[in-house]
Amino acid sequence: MTLIAPSLLSADFANLAAAIAAVEAAGADWIHVDVMDGHFVPNLTIGPPVIAAIKKRSHLPLDVHLMIEDPETWIDVYRRAGADMMTVHVEACRHLDRTLHHIRESGARAGVSINPATPVAMIQEVIGVVDLVLVMTVNPGFGAQSFIRSTLGKISSAAGMIRRAGTSALVEVDGGIDGATAVDVVQAGAGVLVAGNYVFTAPSVGEAIGTLRQRAAEGERRRNAEGVPRIV
Ligand code: DX5
Ligand code: ZN
């Protein structure tokens, strides 16, 4: 079953407890937290103290997306703050293999992310040491951007790479996910959907998450019936 990870980036930062309660009540699987440093991406969001505060309010696994330069130095800090999973960008890591091992040794699950302009081949050598491959479906930095369709082929390629490696890593997608794009990304091989704007600007958070679940199930049905679409 496809997992749903609402991104708090589009929630009311002055009322995160309410946002967390709403997504928990709606049956979300993980909570996605976007950490930005104003260097790797042109935006600045939240850091360890806020993550620690979120952790106190939620029973769900915290999926921490580190859009920061040199994440290596921050791994233990975010782990102590409550991160259950940490995803780093291949574009931001000088020693990616070391950083991913460090995440796992901290006790968290390790994810690696690629920007829309980064080929999937960049993660070939570390595919055996990750639990998550986060394919960015927008350029990271902001919520509410439009889905970039050329990433669909990369989702399929990442899923194929994981299959060949024989691991149970999941493909996560992040950016521009709504009721329509959810079908396509799941058919292409996504196992985790991050959604911010779609969930938190909806009249009902519960209905939005319910719709994403239904659309993901449709994507799974199409993948089983028609296979992964051929996208070059
Ligand atoms: C973007 C972040 C996303 C963002 C997605 O840089 O990594 O997690 O919240 O937002 P939507 O779903 O609004 O595109
Ligand atoms: Zn994110």
Side-chain angles (χ1 to χ4, degrees):
M1 196 187 69
T2 309
L3 303 178
I4 310 288
S7 162
L8 293 181
L9 187 64
S10 292
D12 178 358
F13 274 15
N15 204 352
L16 286 177
I20 292 162
V23 300
E24 283 201 353
D29 298 289
W30 299 348
I31 290 182
H32 184 85
V33 187
D34 290 300
V35 175
M36 304 186 189
D37 66 353
H39 293 277
F40 179 64
V41 289
N43 197 2
L44 199 56
T45 53
I46 63 175
V50 177
I51 292 193
I54 292 169
K55 186 72 181 173
K56 285 192 196 135
R57 298 289 183 144
S58 178
H59 304 295
L60 296 178
L62 289 191
D63 171 32
V64 176
H65 180 188
L66 295 173
M67 285 163 277
I68 61 176
E69 297 283 1
D70 298 323
E72 173 84 32
T73 50
W74 289 96
I75 300 305
D76 295 322
V77 177
Y78 281 101
R79 177 66 181 149
R80 278 197 298 275
D84 295 289
M85 291 162 255
M86 278 177 266
T87 295
V88 296
H89 273 259
V90 61
E91 303 88 357
C93 293
R94 205 177 286 256
H95 301 289
L96 180 61
D97 179 79
R98 175 186 288 152
T99 303
L100 292 167
H101 276 102
H102 187 164
I103 295 173
R104 280 190 163 177
E105 281 156 16
S106 80
R109 283 192 267 171
V112 66
S113 183
I114 50 173
N115 282 338
T118 303
V120 177
M122 291 295 287
I123 59 171
Q124 176 69 66
E125 303 306 323
V126 294
I127 200 71
V129 293
V130 296
D131 304 290
L132 273 180
V133 173
L134 174 53
V135 176
M136 287 306 300
T137 43
V138 298
N139 288 295
F142 303 94
Q145 301 181 83
S146 300
F147 180 79
I148 298 174
R149 290 202 72 80
S150 60
T151 59
L152 281 171
K154 290 169 54 178
I155 296 166
S156 312
S157 302
M161 191 184 276
I162 291 166
R163 233 183 353 263
R164 286 190 298 280
T167 77
S168 53
L170 296 169
V171 178
E172 182 175 31
V173 291
D174 186 3
I177 301 302
D178 59 22
T181 55
V183 180
D184 298 333
V185 294
V186 171
Q187 185 175 4
V192 187
L193 305 183
V194 176
N197 184 60
Y198 180 73
V199 167
F200 288 107
T201 62
S204 153
V205 164
E207 272 178 36
I209 290 178
T211 303
L212 282 178
R213 260 198 207 295
Q214 282 168 13
R215 304 301 285 161
E218 173 62 15
E220 287 171 24
R221 193 194 64 72
R222 289 190 196 177
R223 184 167 72 208
N224 293 334
E226 303 162 17
V228 167
R230 270 183 188 281
I231 303 149
V232 182

